[in-house]
Amino acid sequence: MNLSFFDQFSSPSMLGVPLILIALIFPALLLPAPDNRWITNRLSTLQLWFINLVTKQLMIPLDKKGHKWALILTSLMIFLLLINLLGLLPYTFTPTTQLSMNLALAFPLWLATLLTGLRNQPSISLGHLLPEGTPTPLIPALILIETTSLLIRPLALGVRLTANLTAGHLLIQLISTATVALFATMPMVSLLTLLVLFLLTILEVAVAMIQAYVFVLLLSLYLQENI
């Protein structure tokens, strides 16, 4: 019984071919096709307004040098947002519940921000490893601690996104299973659990959006440290 709760996190396959690629490509199909005109309909207007809002929020902590990353960060934000929200639909697979995928997104982008800092301002980037005014006996220990905290950043990004989405999906499945099981014997209790399930679903929609934003926001903060 316990294993069945985690079956939803296994990558689906058909004839031995993993279908995770379809789950990754499908969100792009929901976006309107580009057109020569700036605004074609209300959906395009809403899309442009949302992209503009997301870009402004992500560029707030960045200097002008970091605005070159606007396309990458905004695209990543919309990509994660669509995948997280589509994963809440019944009988769907959420790729962002896979730690391997989240690390594959976090590690290259984190490494790019780190290499950007080492190329543009190597002394300042290396200076972050040793706070100013550190006593001489503590220098080796602090360098080791700061280096560890620096290297653990991509792991923290991937684990945070995976853990939050996995916990939410498990809670939804547990409560929905309890609702169905209690309906025949205790219908009133089943209605109460159904209400809890409805509220939890609203919460998970908020968590899906917040986690996508936090993932990209932390990357932008790491970028700001290195430009």
Side-chain angles (χ1 to χ4, degrees):
M1 184 64 179
N2 293 332
L3 293 177
S4 63
F5 289 142
F6 293 91
D7 289 343
Q8 59 178 318
F9 303 117
S10 60
S11 179
S13 60
M14 179 179 294
L15 300 177
V17 178
L19 300 180
I20 188 172
L21 292 178
I22 298 179
L24 293 175
I25 296 174
F26 184 74
L29 302 178
L30 299 178
L31 300 177
D35 194 271
N36 292 331
R37 292 176 294 179
W38 283 9
I39 299 177
T40 56
N41 50 37
R42 292 180 180 178
L43 182 59
S44 298
T45 304
L46 182 62
Q47 177 190 356
L48 290 174
W49 171 81
F50 179 73
I51 292 176
N52 187 33
L53 178 63
V54 170
T55 305
K56 283 184 178 180
Q57 292 297 322
L58 294 177
M59 293 299 106
I60 286 177
L62 294 177
D63 295 337
K64 289 185 178 181
K65 294 180 180 179
H67 291 179
K68 300 176 182 179
W69 290 62
L71 180 60
I72 297 177
L73 296 178
T74 304
S75 301
L76 179 62
M77 170 72 182
I78 296 175
F79 174 72
L80 291 176
L81 182 62
L82 289 176
I83 286 183
N84 292 348
L85 292 178
L86 289 175
L88 293 174
L89 297 176
Y91 303 103
T92 56
F93 172 70
T94 312
T96 44
T97 56
Q98 306 296 310
L99 181 60
S100 57
M101 176 187 163
N102 295 334
L103 289 179
L105 290 174
F107 183 78
L109 293 173
W110 166 82
L111 184 61
T113 62
L114 183 62
L115 294 178
T116 300
L118 292 176
R119 184 189 64 179
N120 296 335
Q121 45 182 16
S123 59
I124 297 178
S125 297
L126 294 176
H128 290 309
L129 301 179
L130 184 63
E132 186 178 357
T134 303
T136 304
L138 297 179
I139 288 179
L142 280 180
I143 291 179
L144 182 61
I145 293 173
E146 292 296 330
T147 304
T148 304
S149 65
L150 178 65
L151 297 178
I152 209 173
R153 284 179 174 181
L155 180 62
L157 283 175
V159 171
R160 182 186 295 107
L161 182 59
T162 303
N164 282 281
L165 295 180
T166 302
H169 283 66
L170 284 175
L171 280 175
I172 288 177
Q173 185 169 359
L174 285 170
I175 296 178
S176 60
T177 302
T179 303
V180 174
L182 295 173
F183 183 75
T185 56
M186 293 179 287
M188 293 303 298
V189 178
S190 178
L191 290 176
L192 290 177
T193 55
L194 182 62
L195 177 61
V196 173
L197 178 61
F198 176 74
L199 297 176
L200 180 62
T201 304
I202 297 177
L203 176 63
E204 284 306 310
V205 171
V207 168
M209 294 187 291
I210 291 172
Q211 289 304 315
Y213 176 70
V214 168
F215 187 93
V216 182
L217 179 63
L218 289 176
L219 281 175
S220 65
L221 293 177
Y222 298 157
L223 176 63
Q224 177 60 27
E225 291 181 359
N226 293 283
I227 59 176

